[in-house]
Amino acid sequence: MAKKDAGKSAARKKDEGEGVKIVARNRRARHDYDLIEKVEAGIVLTGTEVKSLRNGKANLEDAYADVARGEVWLQGCDIPEYLQANRMNHVPKRSRKLLLHRKEIEKLAARTNERGLTLVPTAIYFKKGMAKVELFVAKGRKTFDKREALKKSEAKRDIDRALRRR
């Protein structure tokens, strides 16, 4: 009896982990910003935007999030038009509302009012069929900080390589 129960719980855990399909990543964000706090938010999308995302097409390079009028908005995210759509297609670079709880919005608004902090989207993905955005409260890095971070990561990589060879 215990074996059957163990198999079922393992299968359930496997199904929960497989529900994420990453559509787009903002790789420059980790280089340009010090990422402080992670937040997951839903996105309000039209039908053709969802279809375009399911095809794996989105660009987060110039995207950022903004708190305005008690709501969080995703600005500058490019979701290209869905090719099979008719004249009712969406505007590729429109502002998109992000879905968060009121307390989370207030917390993010307080954090972004601090000097030098901003909201940076790092990924768009589907989780259990729903489109989500991974946001980080981030602080911009200066050029010398970027060089320093690269040196540290290269040194860490060299140390890891040396330890693996042993």
Side-chain angles (χ1 to χ4, degrees):
M1 196 72 175
K3 284 185 179 180
K4 287 184 180 179
D5 292 340
K8 285 183 182 178
S9 65
R12 249 185 257 125
K13 286 180 184 174
K14 183 180 171 188
D15 291 342
E16 290 172 3
E18 289 179 359
V20 177
K21 178 191 169 201
I22 296 175
V23 176
R25 284 197 180 276
N26 185 356
R27 294 175 191 217
R28 293 238 8 121
R30 296 195 187 280
H31 178 69
D32 292 340
Y33 298 95
D34 285 323
L35 304 178
I36 300 169
E37 182 182 341
K38 179 181 168 181
V39 178
E40 181 183 73
I43 321 171
V44 176
L45 298 171
T46 63
T48 54
E49 288 174 326
V50 174
K51 288 181 180 242
S52 188
L53 282 178
R54 290 207 185 274
N55 283 342
K57 297 185 176 160
N59 185 3
L60 287 173
E61 286 302 313
D62 300 324
Y64 64 97
D66 189 27
V67 180
R69 302 180 307 273
E71 298 174 336
V72 181
W73 295 85
L74 183 64
Q75 309 282 344
C77 174
D78 184 24
I79 299 175
E81 290 184 346
Y82 183 60
L83 297 176
Q84 287 79 23
N86 59 9
R87 59 190 164 90
M88 301 298 286
N89 223 329
H90 65 275
V91 178
K93 279 210 169 197
R94 73 177 184 91
S95 299
R96 294 168 178 91
K97 185 177 176 181
L98 298 180
L99 304 172
L100 291 163
H101 290 282
R102 176 71 46 208
K103 296 235 184 218
E104 290 176 318
I105 294 172
E106 290 169 0
K107 185 177 172 184
L108 290 176
R111 293 297 302 266
T112 56
N113 285 338
E114 292 177 27
R115 185 172 176 192
L117 294 181
T118 186
L119 290 173
V120 179
T122 56
I124 293 180
Y125 54 91
F126 284 99
K127 185 175 183 180
K128 297 182 182 177
M130 303 296 224
K132 305 279 184 178
V133 173
E134 182 180 71
L135 289 174
F136 274 91
V137 175
K139 182 174 182 153
R141 283 186 184 160
K142 304 282 186 213
T143 307
F144 61 87
D145 290 336
K146 293 177 191 177
R147 282 191 228 119
E148 210 172 289
L150 280 173
K151 286 178 189 174
K152 285 181 184 177
S153 66
E154 287 176 10
K156 184 178 184 297
R157 200 175 308 130
D158 291 341
I159 290 169
D160 290 342
R161 274 193 209 124
L163 289 174
R164 267 188 266 137
R165 288 183 194 147
R166 287 180 119 188

